[in-house]
Amino acid sequence: MEDKPLQSFLALKDSSKRSINSDWKIELPGDFELAGTTVRYVRRGLWEKISAKGPTKSPLHLMVLLFHDQSYGIHYEYTIPLNTSQDRISEKQREPEYLYIWAHSSWQNCTVQCGGGERSTVVSCMRIINNSMEVVSDNYCHSETRPQAKVQRCNTLPCQYRWVTGEWGPCSASCGKGLQQREVSCVYPSVNGSLRHTKDLYCHGGKPAVQQGCEDDACLTTWEASVWSECSSDCSQGVRRRTVLCKNPDGGCDPFSKPSQEEPCEDDSKCYEWKFGDWSKCSSTCGKGLQSRVVQCMHKDTGRHGDNCPLMLRPPIYRSCYRQSCFVKVHMPEEILTHEVAP
């Protein structure tokens, strides 16, 4: 079942190609025969659920149709025969030569880097083989006898955190006002004397500035550029242009520092269009019913899903349908309808 209602659809297919919600057709809720069992498909609004009592006799493939939700989640459950776990128990019983015990295998990292913290041991299930031990799954040891982890103090030296600043980088503007940046880190001395970086919250006092304003007065040229034009293409790659003029009163603008007048651009505002599949079968065998189909906004060239299609032009997803009348006229022979009256 879906973790939450979404626009996508669950789809199911078995090895014989029988399916639910496949080939771009959305089925109505109901019972379907797949993988040798009856599968029930439930849909309430945007929420879906697929269930089967089983047992299944062939593999089932679970899919998601029209997947475009990044937070999509599916909850699933299944059952297996009990003799599988019994076989594992019998395998453990056939290993009497092994001894399984709980042991403190290693120490975890200290909770802090300095100033006094704690670390605890890792309790693992060990198998003893020929006077040696190896770590195995905890299932081999009895959970009732599992010991508590040992805890001890660690990194008790006082912390000596301080700010370290790097050199200022170059100005972002070669002419006029700009910005320059530098690295600022919180560090502390390690045992061997080297400085190690840590989180900013450990350093006291305000953090030094990481950027500042700058200005270069050596402006040899003064170029002035207009705003960029719209992209020449409203679908895929194009070009946009602008006007660049020399504003130096002396007219001596450096051509090597002239800003670009043309650059590539991409606009996909009109690359998407509505795509739709075939209508499904009528939901009713007689009288009025309902048909559905898949309608999706897709890229003209790549087929990628999107949301840039105009909603006013969206084709309908459902339509009514009509099969033959549910009431059938019965024509009786004329001789059955008449009878003879005695004189």
Side-chain angles (χ1 to χ4, degrees):
M1 69 177 70
E2 294 175 332
D3 287 344
K4 60 182 179 180
L6 294 169
Q7 297 290 339
S8 305
F9 297 90
L10 293 178
L12 199 65
K13 180 185 292 185
D14 63 9
S15 56
S16 62
K17 306 303 181 182
R18 287 191 292 264
S19 61
I20 303 174
N21 291 346
S22 184
D23 298 328
W24 293 90
K25 289 184 179 179
I26 305 302
E27 303 286 351
L28 292 172
D31 294 339
F32 300 83
E33 295 298 322
L34 277 82
T37 185
T38 301
V39 178
R40 173 156 293 182
Y41 174 48
V42 179
R43 182 170 71 239
R44 297 188 182 97
L46 297 178
W47 180 84
E48 296 174 286
K49 176 183 178 181
I50 298 178
S51 61
K53 291 186 177 180
T56 55
K57 298 181 180 179
S58 64
L60 281 170
H61 302 273
L62 177 62
M63 300 165 287
V64 179
L65 184 63
L66 308 180
F67 181 86
H68 53 80
D69 292 292
Q70 296 297 323
S71 59
Y72 197 87
I74 297 177
H75 173 79
Y76 64 92
E77 297 179 358
Y78 63 94
T79 58
I80 58 174
L82 284 175
N83 58 0
T84 301
S85 59
Q86 292 174 352
D87 291 341
R88 293 178 180 174
I89 295 174
S90 62
E91 289 178 2
K92 291 177 65 177
Q93 292 174 348
R94 289 195 296 267
E95 299 178 354
E97 67 273 14
Y98 296 150
L99 176 63
Y100 299 95
I101 62 171
W102 293 106
H104 301 275
S105 57
S106 61
W107 286 95
Q108 294 179 338
N109 294 330
C110 191
T111 56
V112 296
Q113 296 170 332
C114 60
E118 290 183 345
R119 66 172 183 169
S120 58
T121 56
V122 177
V123 179
S124 305
C125 182
M126 310 292 291
R127 177 163 58 192
I128 301 178
I129 307 175
N130 298 328
N131 297 325
S132 63
M133 293 192 302
E134 64 176 7
V135 179
V136 296
S137 172
D138 289 351
N139 296 330
Y140 287 95
C141 293
H142 296 287
S143 58
E144 297 83 3
T145 61
R146 183 188 183 107
Q148 294 292 330
K150 297 179 181 179
V151 180
Q152 68 176 199
R153 294 277 294 172
C154 56
N155 294 346
T156 56
L157 293 177
C159 299
Q160 298 177 354
Y161 299 111
R162 61 188 179 90
W163 294 108
V164 172
T165 59
E167 297 291 335
W168 287 108
C171 192
S172 60
S174 58
C175 176
K177 295 183 178 181
L179 290 174
Q180 57 183 168
Q181 298 179 336
R182 66 177 178 181
E183 289 189 3
V184 178
S185 304
C186 180
V187 299
Y188 69 95
S190 61
V191 178
N192 60 6
S194 62
L195 297 179
R196 303 191 64 175
H197 293 261
T198 185
K199 297 179 180 179
D200 290 352
L201 58 91
Y202 291 123
C203 283
H204 299 289
K207 183 177 181 179
V210 296
Q211 70 176 21
Q212 68 177 4
C214 56
E215 185 173 1
D216 191 349
D217 297 330
C219 295
L220 300 178
T221 60
T222 307
W223 294 101
E224 185 178 278
S226 65
V227 297
W228 288 106
S229 66
E230 294 184 357
C231 195
S232 61
S233 173
D234 56 8
C235 181
S236 70
Q237 291 284 344
V239 176
R240 64 175 185 172
R241 299 176 176 85
R242 65 179 177 180
T243 302
V244 179
L245 301 176
C246 178
K247 292 299 182 177
N248 191 339
D250 299 331
C253 292
D254 182 11
F256 295 103
S257 63
K258 183 179 180 179
S260 61
Q261 294 180 275
E262 185 177 293
E263 70 176 10
C265 58
E266 184 174 1
D267 185 2
D268 60 356
S269 60
K270 296 185 179 180
C271 288
Y272 289 86
E273 61 183 0
W274 292 109
K275 297 284 187 179
F276 51 86
D278 297 333
W279 289 104
S280 65
K281 294 181 181 179
C282 192
S283 61
S284 176
T285 57
C286 66
K288 291 185 179 181
L290 193 66
Q291 288 179 292
S292 63
R293 63 178 178 181
V294 174
V295 178
Q296 188 69 16
C297 181
M298 303 179 69
H299 196 281
K300 295 179 181 178
D301 300 326
T302 64
R304 188 175 60 226
H305 298 294
D307 54 2
N308 294 331
C309 296
L311 293 177
M312 298 297 295
L313 301 179
R314 179 177 181 176
I317 301 178
Y318 300 96
R319 73 176 182 183
S320 59
C321 54
Y322 185 83
R323 305 293 292 272
Q324 63 185 4
S325 175
C326 296
F327 301 96
V328 181
K329 293 182 179 180
V330 179
H331 297 279
M332 304 292 291
E334 196 171 316
E335 55 271 14
I336 297 178
L337 299 175
T338 62
H339 63 278
E340 197 173 312
V341 181

